[in-house]
Amino acid sequence: MTPLDRLRDLCIIAHIDHGKSTLADRMLELCGAVSARDMRAQYLDSMDLERERGITIKLQSVRLDWNGHVLNLIDTPGHVDFGYEVSRSLAACEGAVLLVDAAQGIEAQTLANCYLALENNLEIVAVMNKIDLPAADPDRCAAEIEQVLGIPATEILRISAKTGEGVPELLDAIIDRIPPPVGERAAPLQALIFDSHFDQYRGVVSSVRVINGELHSGARLRFLQASVTHDADEIGVRNPVLTPVDALGPGEVGYLIAGIKDVGEARAGETVTDHGRRGEPLSGYREPKPMVFCGIYPIDGDDYPLLRESLEKLRLNDSSFTFEPETSGALGFGFRCGFLGLLHMEIVRERLEREFNLSLIATAPSVEYRVTTTAGVVEVVDNPSDLPPAVEIDHLEEPYLTSTILTPSTYTGTIMDLCQSRRGEMVRMEYLSPERLELVYRLPLAEVVTDFFDQLKSRSQGYASLDYEPAGYAPADLVKVDVLLNAVTVDAFSSVVHRDKAYDYGRRMTEKLRELIPRQMYDVPIQAAIGGRIIARETVKAKRKDVLAKCYGGDITRKRKLLEKQKEGKKRMKNIGRVEVPQEAFVSALQLGD
């Protein structure tokens, strides 16, 4: 076990693409944790998905040795949708390395993560990265950090994570500036689980930070919130390879395997203590609130039990999404899932398909509405098909966000135009420097979840950055648009939109479905309706068999009789016919927002 004064627990926080994972690579190399032969770029990003997209999705911890000190380092994600991972990491640290790109300066997530670290009373070591770039302007960037975050420019370190320049000095600064952890070795055991994942062969593998006491291999442990006991089969540290040890002392970070099969027993935020002791549970984490909802259904109905099991295992590794069973007339049995944002939704769906070998359909994303009925009852609805009939609704409220956008001042006009077209109200506008600007808008969440981020990036040539936080509910003029096929409502296509955009949405949806639905033996009307009023219609024309092929010449009445008979048959078929919508049509139509 390492003496407390020789320990440092820290994480790396920054905006997306400012070089967190690359800096972690250089630290691993300098501290000799990974040999040159085994080294690869973004070493800690272990998921295929992370490597393909070039982003960090999961926090990763590693133990490093530097100048006789032990550094427990956590590499965190940068995207706003994974802010929950960052807040969990901060609870296991005493300090944070705040990374800023010397070419781009402060971005939205830099601010958000910095304030998050200050809330947790962490010591912040400000670092400017990418000083080797031709476009880097470290002096302007340092002045910006000093003005916005109040960190003196003289204390800001300058490094290049790519070349390794300045990284040894950063490691020394971490030892000098970040305080060692505090904890009582003789006190009852208190350890915080800050992350877990499910291993097919060993059960649940949990990342733990020991706060007080000692965690010994083979000890009988009690999980306070789940009220269960387990034996510690193996404890160890990540070097970054899992290395078993006999014990972990206060302030140390490692992993715990206790043969847990039930994923609900070792959630993030759980407190572990000795079996015989009834210690106080640690404060844990506040539950994240999902903001975007969608239905996830297996393409093959027989995969429903597998989907349930897969969601439970994935929720252990990512406790920021929620799920509950639901059924749809069009898609069968599935789950209503809640996510922190659109990227989060995409990642969870892709992980389910890859890691658990499932084929899935996701319905269009929606948000949580508050409905006040004429009887004065307030209901919370996250699925458009659950909305009460229009005559029973007194008014609808939708969630709003306070969105902070940082952008070069050249793009101010186009970004303000985008926010106003999405029903945004400006809160304030502030210049951080003559070239950079902070815009704060109050925007409806429903307008942000579709393609707002893509539009923002394309209008600012990739330079603008976005951060947002919930800002309560407000009444809005919203209507539910239903899609009817052959006069039958298809619940999977229902959507809640603003009244001004309802006609446009209905027209686009019917036109798209007309191309996607195969022709039947009779005309199929595709209609978009608000309540009982049809606002758009398209028709899939019927296939027509040539019943007159065998009539060569002869009396016209014979031909007429055959055509009338065909017409009768089509009419009867239409009455009992059910339009089968192919899965591809669902998938394509639900990507309408793209």
PDB file of all heavy atoms in Angstrom, residues 53 65 74 228 308 315-316 347 356 368 370 425 430 438 442 465 470 472-473 480 500 513 531 544 550 572 586:
ATOM      1  N   ARG A  53     -14.777   6.237 -34.037  1.00  0.00           N
ATOM      2  CA  ARG A  53     -15.292   7.616 -34.065  1.00  0.00           C
ATOM      3  C   ARG A  53     -14.260   8.634 -33.586  1.00  0.00           C
ATOM      4  O   ARG A  53     -14.472   9.839 -33.725  1.00  0.00           O
ATOM      5  CB  ARG A  53     -16.541   7.726 -33.174  1.00  0.00           C
ATOM      6  CG  ARG A  53     -17.760   7.030 -33.774  1.00  0.00           C
ATOM      7  CD  ARG A  53     -18.910   7.050 -32.796  1.00  0.00           C
ATOM      8  NE  ARG A  53     -20.111   6.455 -33.374  1.00  0.00           N
ATOM      9  CZ  ARG A  53     -21.185   7.143 -33.708  1.00  0.00           C
ATOM     10  NH1 ARG A  53     -21.225   8.435 -33.541  1.00  0.00           N
ATOM     11  NH2 ARG A  53     -22.233   6.537 -34.217  1.00  0.00           N
ATOM     12  N   ASP A  65       3.429   5.515 -12.112  1.00  0.00           N
ATOM     13  CA  ASP A  65       4.483   5.835 -11.130  1.00  0.00           C
ATOM     14  C   ASP A  65       5.363   6.929 -11.702  1.00  0.00           C
ATOM     15  O   ASP A  65       5.868   6.804 -12.823  1.00  0.00           O
ATOM     16  CB  ASP A  65       5.334   4.585 -10.852  1.00  0.00           C
ATOM     17  CG  ASP A  65       4.521   3.510 -10.139  1.00  0.00           C
ATOM     18  OD1 ASP A  65       4.043   3.793  -9.031  1.00  0.00           O
ATOM     19  OD2 ASP A  65       4.353   2.409 -10.712  1.00  0.00           O
ATOM     20  N   ILE A  74      -7.558   9.449 -14.355  1.00  0.00           N
ATOM     21  CA  ILE A  74      -8.811   9.067 -15.037  1.00  0.00           C
ATOM     22  C   ILE A  74      -8.945   9.923 -16.294  1.00  0.00           C
ATOM     23  O   ILE A  74      -8.911  11.154 -16.219  1.00  0.00           O
ATOM     24  CB  ILE A  74     -10.046   9.267 -14.117  1.00  0.00           C
ATOM     25  CG1 ILE A  74      -9.906   8.441 -12.841  1.00  0.00           C
ATOM     26  CG2 ILE A  74     -11.330   8.879 -14.851  1.00  0.00           C
ATOM     27  CD1 ILE A  74     -11.031   8.641 -11.836  1.00  0.00           C
ATOM     28  N   VAL A 228     -26.478  -6.215   0.244  1.00  0.00           N
ATOM     29  CA  VAL A 228     -26.041  -7.597  -0.041  1.00  0.00           C
ATOM     30  C   VAL A 228     -24.600  -7.753   0.434  1.00  0.00           C
ATOM     31  O   VAL A 228     -23.892  -6.767   0.633  1.00  0.00           O
ATOM     32  CB  VAL A 228     -26.122  -7.929  -1.555  1.00  0.00           C
ATOM     33  CG1 VAL A 228     -27.556  -8.012  -2.020  1.00  0.00           C
ATOM     34  CG2 VAL A 228     -25.341  -6.920  -2.394  1.00  0.00           C
ATOM     35  N   ARG A 308     -33.886  -7.330 -23.312  1.00  0.00           N
ATOM     36  CA  ARG A 308     -34.053  -6.949 -21.901  1.00  0.00           C
ATOM     37  C   ARG A 308     -32.759  -7.217 -21.116  1.00  0.00           C
ATOM     38  O   ARG A 308     -32.268  -6.360 -20.381  1.00  0.00           O
ATOM     39  CB  ARG A 308     -35.213  -7.738 -21.278  1.00  0.00           C
ATOM     40  CG  ARG A 308     -35.412  -7.437 -19.787  1.00  0.00           C
ATOM     41  CD  ARG A 308     -36.344  -8.460 -19.156  1.00  0.00           C
ATOM     42  NE  ARG A 308     -37.703  -8.325 -19.615  1.00  0.00           N
ATOM     43  CZ  ARG A 308     -38.579  -7.447 -19.119  1.00  0.00           C
ATOM     44  NH1 ARG A 308     -38.209  -6.644 -18.139  1.00  0.00           N
ATOM     45  NH2 ARG A 308     -39.804  -7.385 -19.593  1.00  0.00           N
ATOM     46  N   ARG A 315     -26.732  -1.111 -18.785  1.00  0.00           N
ATOM     47  CA  ARG A 315     -27.062  -0.074 -17.790  1.00  0.00           C
ATOM     48  C   ARG A 315     -26.060  -0.092 -16.627  1.00  0.00           C
ATOM     49  O   ARG A 315     -25.808   0.925 -15.996  1.00  0.00           O
ATOM     50  CB  ARG A 315     -28.485  -0.275 -17.276  1.00  0.00           C
ATOM     51  CG  ARG A 315     -28.872   0.758 -16.244  1.00  0.00           C
ATOM     52  CD  ARG A 315     -30.354   1.027 -16.190  1.00  0.00           C
ATOM     53  NE  ARG A 315     -30.739   1.653 -14.944  1.00  0.00           N
ATOM     54  CZ  ARG A 315     -30.385   2.872 -14.554  1.00  0.00           C
ATOM     55  NH1 ARG A 315     -29.640   3.632 -15.321  1.00  0.00           N
ATOM     56  NH2 ARG A 315     -30.780   3.355 -13.399  1.00  0.00           N
ATOM     57  N   LEU A 316     -25.469  -1.243 -16.366  1.00  0.00           N
ATOM     58  CA  LEU A 316     -24.447  -1.330 -15.322  1.00  0.00           C
ATOM     59  C   LEU A 316     -23.232  -0.483 -15.708  1.00  0.00           C
ATOM     60  O   LEU A 316     -22.648   0.210 -14.887  1.00  0.00           O
ATOM     61  CB  LEU A 316     -24.021  -2.796 -15.162  1.00  0.00           C
ATOM     62  CG  LEU A 316     -22.854  -3.038 -14.213  1.00  0.00           C
ATOM     63  CD1 LEU A 316     -23.339  -2.940 -12.785  1.00  0.00           C
ATOM     64  CD2 LEU A 316     -22.231  -4.381 -14.456  1.00  0.00           C
ATOM     65  N   ILE A 347     -25.031   5.989 -29.585  1.00  0.00           N
ATOM     66  CA  ILE A 347     -23.970   5.127 -29.044  1.00  0.00           C
ATOM     67  C   ILE A 347     -24.587   3.910 -28.351  1.00  0.00           C
ATOM     68  O   ILE A 347     -24.142   2.781 -28.546  1.00  0.00           O
ATOM     69  CB  ILE A 347     -23.069   5.910 -28.059  1.00  0.00           C
ATOM     70  CG1 ILE A 347     -22.312   7.029 -28.786  1.00  0.00           C
ATOM     71  CG2 ILE A 347     -22.121   4.990 -27.323  1.00  0.00           C
ATOM     72  CD1 ILE A 347     -21.238   6.601 -29.738  1.00  0.00           C
ATOM     73  N   PHE A 356     -24.054  -7.180 -28.178  1.00  0.00           N
ATOM     74  CA  PHE A 356     -25.011  -8.244 -27.855  1.00  0.00           C
ATOM     75  C   PHE A 356     -25.630  -8.863 -29.102  1.00  0.00           C
ATOM     76  O   PHE A 356     -26.587  -9.622 -29.020  1.00  0.00           O
ATOM     77  CB  PHE A 356     -26.093  -7.695 -26.914  1.00  0.00           C
ATOM     78  CG  PHE A 356     -25.526  -7.097 -25.654  1.00  0.00           C
ATOM     79  CD1 PHE A 356     -25.376  -5.727 -25.525  1.00  0.00           C
ATOM     80  CD2 PHE A 356     -25.097  -7.907 -24.613  1.00  0.00           C
ATOM     81  CE1 PHE A 356     -24.827  -5.174 -24.380  1.00  0.00           C
ATOM     82  CE2 PHE A 356     -24.552  -7.353 -23.457  1.00  0.00           C
ATOM     83  CZ  PHE A 356     -24.421  -5.988 -23.334  1.00  0.00           C
ATOM     84  N   GLU A 368     -39.867  14.950 -23.111  1.00  0.00           N
ATOM     85  CA  GLU A 368     -40.912  14.741 -22.104  1.00  0.00           C
ATOM     86  C   GLU A 368     -41.800  15.982 -22.027  1.00  0.00           C
ATOM     87  O   GLU A 368     -41.314  17.070 -21.708  1.00  0.00           O
ATOM     88  CB  GLU A 368     -40.226  14.500 -20.752  1.00  0.00           C
ATOM     89  CG  GLU A 368     -41.015  13.653 -19.808  1.00  0.00           C
ATOM     90  CD  GLU A 368     -40.173  13.226 -18.605  1.00  0.00           C
ATOM     91  OE1 GLU A 368     -39.583  14.096 -17.946  1.00  0.00           O
ATOM     92  OE2 GLU A 368     -40.097  12.026 -18.355  1.00  0.00           O
ATOM     93  N   ARG A 370     -45.295  18.053 -20.545  1.00  0.00           N
ATOM     94  CA  ARG A 370     -46.223  18.108 -19.414  1.00  0.00           C
ATOM     95  C   ARG A 370     -47.589  18.488 -19.954  1.00  0.00           C
ATOM     96  O   ARG A 370     -47.737  19.535 -20.595  1.00  0.00           O
ATOM     97  CB  ARG A 370     -45.774  19.176 -18.419  1.00  0.00           C
ATOM     98  CG  ARG A 370     -44.994  18.590 -17.283  1.00  0.00           C
ATOM     99  CD  ARG A 370     -44.914  19.622 -16.175  1.00  0.00           C
ATOM    100  NE  ARG A 370     -43.651  19.443 -15.470  1.00  0.00           N
ATOM    101  CZ  ARG A 370     -43.011  20.436 -14.871  1.00  0.00           C
ATOM    102  NH1 ARG A 370     -43.488  21.652 -14.899  1.00  0.00           N
ATOM    103  NH2 ARG A 370     -41.884  20.208 -14.246  1.00  0.00           N
ATOM    104  N   GLU A 425     -34.883  32.244 -27.691  1.00  0.00           N
ATOM    105  CA  GLU A 425     -34.909  33.636 -27.192  1.00  0.00           C
ATOM    106  C   GLU A 425     -33.507  33.940 -26.669  1.00  0.00           C
ATOM    107  O   GLU A 425     -32.963  33.168 -25.871  1.00  0.00           O
ATOM    108  CB  GLU A 425     -35.878  33.778 -26.011  1.00  0.00           C
ATOM    109  CG  GLU A 425     -37.289  33.333 -26.269  1.00  0.00           C
ATOM    110  CD  GLU A 425     -38.026  33.050 -24.951  1.00  0.00           C
ATOM    111  OE1 GLU A 425     -37.564  33.502 -23.887  1.00  0.00           O
ATOM    112  OE2 GLU A 425     -39.053  32.360 -25.007  1.00  0.00           O
ATOM    113  N   GLU A 430     -21.955  38.078 -25.136  1.00  0.00           N
ATOM    114  CA  GLU A 430     -20.784  38.636 -24.468  1.00  0.00           C
ATOM    115  C   GLU A 430     -19.523  38.349 -25.290  1.00  0.00           C
ATOM    116  O   GLU A 430     -19.364  37.225 -25.778  1.00  0.00           O
ATOM    117  CB  GLU A 430     -20.654  37.926 -23.113  1.00  0.00           C
ATOM    118  CG  GLU A 430     -20.017  38.744 -22.028  1.00  0.00           C
ATOM    119  CD  GLU A 430     -20.088  38.000 -20.689  1.00  0.00           C
ATOM    120  OE1 GLU A 430     -21.191  37.789 -20.144  1.00  0.00           O
ATOM    121  OE2 GLU A 430     -19.004  37.605 -20.231  1.00  0.00           O
ATOM    122  N   GLU A 438     -19.579  34.790 -26.817  1.00  0.00           N
ATOM    123  CA  GLU A 438     -20.422  33.821 -26.105  1.00  0.00           C
ATOM    124  C   GLU A 438     -21.882  34.239 -26.275  1.00  0.00           C
ATOM    125  O   GLU A 438     -22.258  35.364 -25.947  1.00  0.00           O
ATOM    126  CB  GLU A 438     -20.060  33.791 -24.611  1.00  0.00           C
ATOM    127  CG  GLU A 438     -20.917  32.815 -23.822  1.00  0.00           C
ATOM    128  CD  GLU A 438     -20.639  32.878 -22.320  1.00  0.00           C
ATOM    129  OE1 GLU A 438     -20.650  33.987 -21.746  1.00  0.00           O
ATOM    130  OE2 GLU A 438     -20.428  31.812 -21.722  1.00  0.00           O
ATOM    131  N   ARG A 442     -32.181  30.686 -24.870  1.00  0.00           N
ATOM    132  CA  ARG A 442     -33.152  29.764 -24.259  1.00  0.00           C
ATOM    133  C   ARG A 442     -33.884  29.098 -25.423  1.00  0.00           C
ATOM    134  O   ARG A 442     -34.531  29.763 -26.228  1.00  0.00           O
ATOM    135  CB  ARG A 442     -34.116  30.588 -23.408  1.00  0.00           C
ATOM    136  CG  ARG A 442     -35.049  29.781 -22.543  1.00  0.00           C
ATOM    137  CD  ARG A 442     -35.837  30.742 -21.659  1.00  0.00           C
ATOM    138  NE  ARG A 442     -37.187  30.244 -21.412  1.00  0.00           N
ATOM    139  CZ  ARG A 442     -37.500  29.326 -20.521  1.00  0.00           C
ATOM    140  NH1 ARG A 442     -36.546  28.790 -19.792  1.00  0.00           N
ATOM    141  NH2 ARG A 442     -38.750  28.936 -20.358  1.00  0.00           N
ATOM    142  N   SER A 465     -19.048  25.944 -30.656  1.00  0.00           N
ATOM    143  CA  SER A 465     -19.224  24.809 -29.737  1.00  0.00           C
ATOM    144  C   SER A 465     -20.443  25.075 -28.857  1.00  0.00           C
ATOM    145  O   SER A 465     -20.809  26.228 -28.611  1.00  0.00           O
ATOM    146  CB  SER A 465     -17.980  24.609 -28.892  1.00  0.00           C
ATOM    147  OG  SER A 465     -17.744  25.756 -28.102  1.00  0.00           O
ATOM    148  N   PRO A 470     -30.655  22.025 -18.494  1.00  0.00           N
ATOM    149  CA  PRO A 470     -32.114  22.165 -18.457  1.00  0.00           C
ATOM    150  C   PRO A 470     -32.529  23.499 -17.846  1.00  0.00           C
ATOM    151  O   PRO A 470     -31.878  24.016 -16.950  1.00  0.00           O
ATOM    152  CB  PRO A 470     -32.564  20.999 -17.567  1.00  0.00           C
ATOM    153  CG  PRO A 470     -31.426  20.052 -17.534  1.00  0.00           C
ATOM    154  CD  PRO A 470     -30.185  20.858 -17.751  1.00  0.00           C
ATOM    155  N   GLY A 472     -36.134  24.170 -17.157  1.00  0.00           N
ATOM    156  CA  GLY A 472     -37.556  24.092 -16.790  1.00  0.00           C
ATOM    157  C   GLY A 472     -38.497  23.955 -17.977  1.00  0.00           C
ATOM    158  O   GLY A 472     -38.067  23.736 -19.107  1.00  0.00           O
ATOM    159  N   TYR A 473     -39.794  24.123 -17.691  1.00  0.00           N
ATOM    160  CA  TYR A 473     -40.845  23.946 -18.697  1.00  0.00           C
ATOM    161  C   TYR A 473     -41.543  25.276 -18.988  1.00  0.00           C
ATOM    162  O   TYR A 473     -41.545  26.162 -18.145  1.00  0.00           O
ATOM    163  CB  TYR A 473     -41.909  22.956 -18.183  1.00  0.00           C
ATOM    164  CG  TYR A 473     -41.496  21.511 -18.291  1.00  0.00           C
ATOM    165  CD1 TYR A 473     -40.572  20.954 -17.419  1.00  0.00           C
ATOM    166  CD2 TYR A 473     -42.022  20.684 -19.277  1.00  0.00           C
ATOM    167  CE1 TYR A 473     -40.177  19.627 -17.527  1.00  0.00           C
ATOM    168  CE2 TYR A 473     -41.642  19.351 -19.388  1.00  0.00           C
ATOM    169  CZ  TYR A 473     -40.724  18.836 -18.511  1.00  0.00           C
ATOM    170  OH  TYR A 473     -40.346  17.526 -18.629  1.00  0.00           O
ATOM    171  N   LYS A 480     -50.259  17.279 -31.911  1.00  0.00           N
ATOM    172  CA  LYS A 480     -49.803  15.929 -32.216  1.00  0.00           C
ATOM    173  C   LYS A 480     -50.200  15.605 -33.653  1.00  0.00           C
ATOM    174  O   LYS A 480     -51.364  15.741 -34.021  1.00  0.00           O
ATOM    175  CB  LYS A 480     -50.475  14.955 -31.250  1.00  0.00           C
ATOM    176  CG  LYS A 480     -50.167  13.491 -31.533  1.00  0.00           C
ATOM    177  CD  LYS A 480     -50.976  12.643 -30.569  1.00  0.00           C
ATOM    178  CE  LYS A 480     -51.002  11.200 -30.978  1.00  0.00           C
ATOM    179  NZ  LYS A 480     -51.965  10.446 -30.203  1.00  0.00           N
ATOM    180  N   ASP A 500     -46.921  25.753 -36.091  1.00  0.00           N
ATOM    181  CA  ASP A 500     -46.426  26.412 -37.308  1.00  0.00           C
ATOM    182  C   ASP A 500     -45.707  25.430 -38.245  1.00  0.00           C
ATOM    183  O   ASP A 500     -45.607  25.661 -39.437  1.00  0.00           O
ATOM    184  CB  ASP A 500     -45.437  27.534 -36.949  1.00  0.00           C
ATOM    185  CG  ASP A 500     -46.114  28.641 -36.156  1.00  0.00           C
ATOM    186  OD1 ASP A 500     -47.359  28.630 -36.103  1.00  0.00           O
ATOM    187  OD2 ASP A 500     -45.411  29.484 -35.580  1.00  0.00           O
ATOM    188  N   LEU A 513     -43.166   8.379 -47.082  1.00  0.00           N
ATOM    189  CA  LEU A 513     -43.793   7.057 -46.959  1.00  0.00           C
ATOM    190  C   LEU A 513     -44.330   6.560 -48.298  1.00  0.00           C
ATOM    191  O   LEU A 513     -44.343   5.358 -48.564  1.00  0.00           O
ATOM    192  CB  LEU A 513     -44.916   7.090 -45.908  1.00  0.00           C
ATOM    193  CG  LEU A 513     -44.437   7.052 -44.446  1.00  0.00           C
ATOM    194  CD1 LEU A 513     -45.586   7.318 -43.499  1.00  0.00           C
ATOM    195  CD2 LEU A 513     -43.802   5.713 -44.107  1.00  0.00           C
ATOM    196  N   GLY A 531     -55.622  15.619 -34.863  1.00  0.00           N
ATOM    197  CA  GLY A 531     -56.968  15.273 -34.374  1.00  0.00           C
ATOM    198  C   GLY A 531     -57.736  14.618 -35.507  1.00  0.00           C
ATOM    199  O   GLY A 531     -57.294  13.647 -36.103  1.00  0.00           O
ATOM    200  N   ARG A 544     -52.281  -3.349 -60.843  1.00  0.00           N
ATOM    201  CA  ARG A 544     -53.496  -3.662 -61.563  1.00  0.00           C
ATOM    202  C   ARG A 544     -53.263  -4.831 -62.503  1.00  0.00           C
ATOM    203  O   ARG A 544     -52.433  -4.761 -63.391  1.00  0.00           O
ATOM    204  CB  ARG A 544     -53.956  -2.430 -62.338  1.00  0.00           C
ATOM    205  CG  ARG A 544     -55.252  -2.701 -63.025  1.00  0.00           C
ATOM    206  CD  ARG A 544     -56.061  -1.449 -63.219  1.00  0.00           C
ATOM    207  NE  ARG A 544     -57.225  -1.803 -64.021  1.00  0.00           N
ATOM    208  CZ  ARG A 544     -57.739  -1.045 -64.948  1.00  0.00           C
ATOM    209  NH1 ARG A 544     -57.220   0.114 -65.184  1.00  0.00           N
ATOM    210  NH2 ARG A 544     -58.789  -1.443 -65.635  1.00  0.00           N
ATOM    211  N   LYS A 550     -57.712 -11.774 -71.844  1.00  0.00           N
ATOM    212  CA  LYS A 550     -58.282 -12.903 -72.606  1.00  0.00           C
ATOM    213  C   LYS A 550     -59.425 -12.460 -73.528  1.00  0.00           C
ATOM    214  O   LYS A 550     -59.988 -13.279 -74.240  1.00  0.00           O
ATOM    215  CB  LYS A 550     -58.769 -13.975 -71.636  1.00  0.00           C
ATOM    216  CG  LYS A 550     -59.830 -13.508 -70.659  1.00  0.00           C
ATOM    217  CD  LYS A 550     -60.095 -14.564 -69.609  1.00  0.00           C
ATOM    218  CE  LYS A 550     -61.070 -14.015 -68.556  1.00  0.00           C
ATOM    219  NZ  LYS A 550     -61.247 -14.942 -67.461  1.00  0.00           N
ATOM    220  N   ARG A 572     -63.612  -4.830 -51.616  1.00  0.00           N
ATOM    221  CA  ARG A 572     -63.739  -5.746 -50.491  1.00  0.00           C
ATOM    222  C   ARG A 572     -62.367  -5.962 -49.832  1.00  0.00           C
ATOM    223  O   ARG A 572     -62.229  -5.994 -48.611  1.00  0.00           O
ATOM    224  CB  ARG A 572     -64.321  -7.076 -50.989  1.00  0.00           C
ATOM    225  CG  ARG A 572     -64.801  -7.976 -49.842  1.00  0.00           C
ATOM    226  CD  ARG A 572     -65.690  -9.115 -50.330  1.00  0.00           C
ATOM    227  NE  ARG A 572     -64.992  -9.997 -51.259  1.00  0.00           N
ATOM    228  CZ  ARG A 572     -65.297 -10.091 -52.553  1.00  0.00           C
ATOM    229  NH1 ARG A 572     -66.280  -9.353 -53.071  1.00  0.00           N
ATOM    230  NH2 ARG A 572     -64.639 -10.920 -53.351  1.00  0.00           N
ATOM    231  N   PHE A 586     -39.796   1.704 -42.044  1.00  0.00           N
ATOM    232  CA  PHE A 586     -39.770   2.297 -40.705  1.00  0.00           C
ATOM    233  C   PHE A 586     -38.433   2.978 -40.462  1.00  0.00           C
ATOM    234  O   PHE A 586     -38.366   4.120 -40.056  1.00  0.00           O
ATOM    235  CB  PHE A 586     -39.961   1.216 -39.628  1.00  0.00           C
ATOM    236  CG  PHE A 586     -41.408   0.959 -39.306  1.00  0.00           C
ATOM    237  CD1 PHE A 586     -41.997  -0.249 -39.617  1.00  0.00           C
ATOM    238  CD2 PHE A 586     -42.171   1.941 -38.705  1.00  0.00           C
ATOM    239  CE1 PHE A 586     -43.327  -0.478 -39.333  1.00  0.00           C
ATOM    240  CE2 PHE A 586     -43.500   1.713 -38.405  1.00  0.00           C
ATOM    241  CZ  PHE A 586     -44.085   0.505 -38.720  1.00  0.00           C
TER     242      PHE A 586
END
